[in-house]
């Protein structure tokens, strides 16, 4: 997996939380590994971004024009979109930025904002005309709409939002700004302008692939992922949907020869104790702090079980404790503990011969196979909550099977029957070890070792 950390190229507001944002080591402690952990500040990324710009420019999909841009007389500079704030003209949200409204997800132009203010000084910016380069998004409107309508495997919220966005009409967007940081324009005479972040940030997926291939001594190894029909999945929050279903695909179409996204499984918002997550207000579960106190698997499990796949959801510590105790411990953990304990106590930790399976045991194994296949299908379709629910349903069925067969009693009067029950239960546990691995990697590895 290629991981691109969020950009941090200066902010109007700095928070004390910045020092405890997760790094690659902390994410690995959470069970997330990387083939490459990089940023969009590398020379490689700049080179790839300039290559994309040049190709689009040569093919007529980038052109020069003038635009008005907010200028702060107090700061004596043009303001990047993140430095202006106002009321969204579409949903009346009063915290919209100059490039996007986080409430309704629509992309914006600073001049669209109502009551615009400078986030640095609080003053009212003025608009001044300046020359910039524009991406000709309008040239891809029909092609993108035809493509998106065929993506029946996309989540309904992503597909419907994108279709509505495209049917509303695409407008060309400026892709440069009068700023001092960022990727330079690869044309003479524009040394004081840079590629704007919303344009070159998404190129990081491609540049990271190229960097990975170069680091591994196989500089062409990125091509099968981008040129040969591989499936690319883009995971993000709903506020980033248009950048990955409209803008990035348009850039890829304009460049030519590169794979479009296969799926964009964007989530709705996850709130914390009924309130919107906010790093600036320190309203978040900080990963370093959590990992110093608790095991990673319960957090992975609770978030997966409550993913906002189709609507907003809420994380609470009360629910965290309940799911850990009632589901991970009482359902799954208890199943593993009592089965392996009985095997150890009554069969010297050696899995006994089951003999010919009775109807109940055979039915449970058939259910395990069905759940195994079902979980695989759910994972491939990025229906993660259903994948987890399927596995936990199998654990519940296995517990009912044990209650019915009562091997703790049978071991005293019919050891062969107890052997069959425990062999069947261990087989189901072995299945669960695999289907739950994406959610509980550390617990699954421990169980794998216990099973020999």
């Amino acid at each position: 997996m290629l991981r691109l950390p969020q950009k941090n190229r200066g902010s109007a507001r700095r928070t004390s939380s910045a020092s405890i944002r997760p790094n690659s080591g902390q994410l690995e402690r959470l069970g997330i590994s990387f083939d490459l952990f990089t940023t969009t500040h590398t020379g490689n990324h700049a080179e790839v971004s300039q290559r994309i710009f040049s190709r689009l420019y040569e093919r007529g999909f980038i052109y020069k024009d003038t635009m008005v841009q907010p200028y702060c007389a107090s700061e004596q500079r043009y303001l990047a979109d993140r430095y202006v704030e106002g009321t969204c003209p579409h949903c009346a949200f009063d915290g919209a930025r100059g490039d996007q409204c986080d409430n309704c997800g629509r992309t914006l132009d600073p001049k669209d904002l109502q009551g615009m203010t400078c986030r640095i000084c609080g003053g009212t910016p003025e608009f001044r005309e300046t020359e910039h380069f524009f991406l000709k998004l309008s040239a891809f409107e029909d092609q993108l709409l035809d493509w998106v309508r065929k993506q029946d495997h996309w989540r309904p919220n992503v597909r419907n939002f994108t279709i509505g966005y495209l049917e509303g009409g695409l407008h060309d967007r400026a892709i440069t700004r009068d700023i001092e940081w960022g990727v330079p324009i690869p044309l003479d005479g524009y040394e004081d302008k840079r590629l704007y972040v919303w344009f070159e940030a998404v190129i990081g997926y491609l540049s990271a692939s190229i960097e990975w291939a170069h680091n591994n001594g196989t500089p062409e190894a990125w091509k099968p992922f981008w040129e040969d029909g591989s499936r690319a999945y883009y995971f993000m929050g709903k506020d980033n949907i248009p950048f990955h279903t409209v803008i990035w695909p348009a850039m890829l179409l304009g460049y030519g020869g590169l794979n479009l996204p296969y799926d964009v499984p964007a989530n709705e918002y996850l709130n914390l104790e009924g309130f919107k997550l906010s790093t600036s207000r320190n309203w978040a579960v900080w990963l370093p702090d959590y990992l110093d106190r608790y095991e990673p698997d319960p957090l992975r499990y609770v978030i997966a079980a409550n993913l906002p796949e189709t609507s907003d959801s809420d994380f609470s510590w009360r629910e965290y404790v309940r799911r850990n105790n009632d589901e991970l411990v009482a359902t799954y953990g208890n199943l593993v503990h009592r089965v392996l304990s009985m095997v150890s106590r009554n069969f010297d930790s050696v899995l006994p011969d089951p003999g010919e399976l009775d109807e109940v045991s055979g039915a449970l194994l058939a259910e395990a196979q069905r759940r195994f296949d079902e979980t695989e299908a759910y994972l491939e379709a990025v229906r993660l909550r259903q994948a987890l629910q399927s596995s936990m349903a199998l654990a519940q069925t296995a517990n009912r099977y044990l209650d019915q067969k009562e091997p703790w009693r049978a071991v005293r009067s019919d050891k062969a029957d107890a052997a069959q029950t425990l062999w069947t239960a261990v087989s189901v546990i072995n299945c669960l070890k695999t289907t739950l691995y994406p959610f509980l990697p550390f617990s699954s590895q421990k169980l794998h070792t216990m099973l020999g």
Side-chain angles (χ1 to χ4, degrees), residues 48-62 186 251-258:
V48 174
S49 298
Q50 290 174 334
R51 189 193 315 166
I52 296 289
F53 175 95
S54 298
R55 179 75 168 267
L56 293 173
Y57 184 69
E58 291 165 3
R59 300 186 72 179
F61 296 122
I62 290 177
M251 293 164 62
L252 292 170
L253 288 170
Y255 186 84
L258 299 177

Side-chain angles (χ1 to χ4, degrees), residues 393-412:
L394 177 59
Q396 292 169 339
T397 301
N399 276 311
R400 289 194 295 269
Y401 166 80
L402 286 180
D403 293 339
Q404 178 183 351
K405 296 283 286 183
E406 296 184 319
W408 50 89
R409 295 183 185 275
V411 76
R412 296 195 293 268

Side-chain angles (χ1 to χ4, degrees), residues 293-366:
R293 298 166 182 257
Y294 309 112
E295 294 296 321
D297 278 357
L299 182 63
R300 292 175 60 107
Y301 176 84
V302 173
I303 290 178
N306 200 29
L307 273 177
E309 292 179 340
T310 57
S311 61
D312 292 354
S313 63
D314 189 66
F315 176 93
S316 71
W317 288 111
R318 183 184 298 276
E319 182 69 358
Y320 170 91
V321 172
R322 187 198 67 78
R323 285 191 179 273
N324 180 78
N325 294 348
D326 295 351
E327 298 173 15
L328 284 181
V329 177
T331 299
Y332 183 42
N334 185 51
L335 170 67
V336 172
H337 174 72
R338 59 178 178 165
V339 169
L340 298 191
S341 295
M342 282 187 283
V343 172
S344 175
R345 194 165 51 244
N346 298 290
F347 295 94
D348 297 324
S349 297
V350 176
L351 197 60
D353 187 340
E356 184 177 350
L357 296 184
D358 60 27
E359 183 178 348
V360 177
S361 299
L364 178 59
L365 290 184

Side-chain angles (χ1 to χ4, degrees), residues 67-70 78-82 84 98-99 108-111 130-134 173-185 190-199:
M67 63 175 289
V68 292
Q69 187 176 345
Y78 286 99
L79 296 173
D81 292 341
R82 72 175 71 179
V84 294
D99 58 347
L108 302 173
D109 189 280
K111 66 178 182 294
T130 177
E131 184 182 53
H132 282 292
F133 291 85
F134 287 73
R173 294 193 65 186
I175 62 168
T176 56
R177 285 293 188 272
D178 297 299
I179 50 180
E180 298 176 352
W181 47 263
V183 178
I185 308 300
Y190 296 94
E191 289 76 14
D192 59 342
K193 298 183 187 294
R194 297 291 185 271
L195 293 180
Y196 197 47
V197 61
W198 73 258
F199 174 80

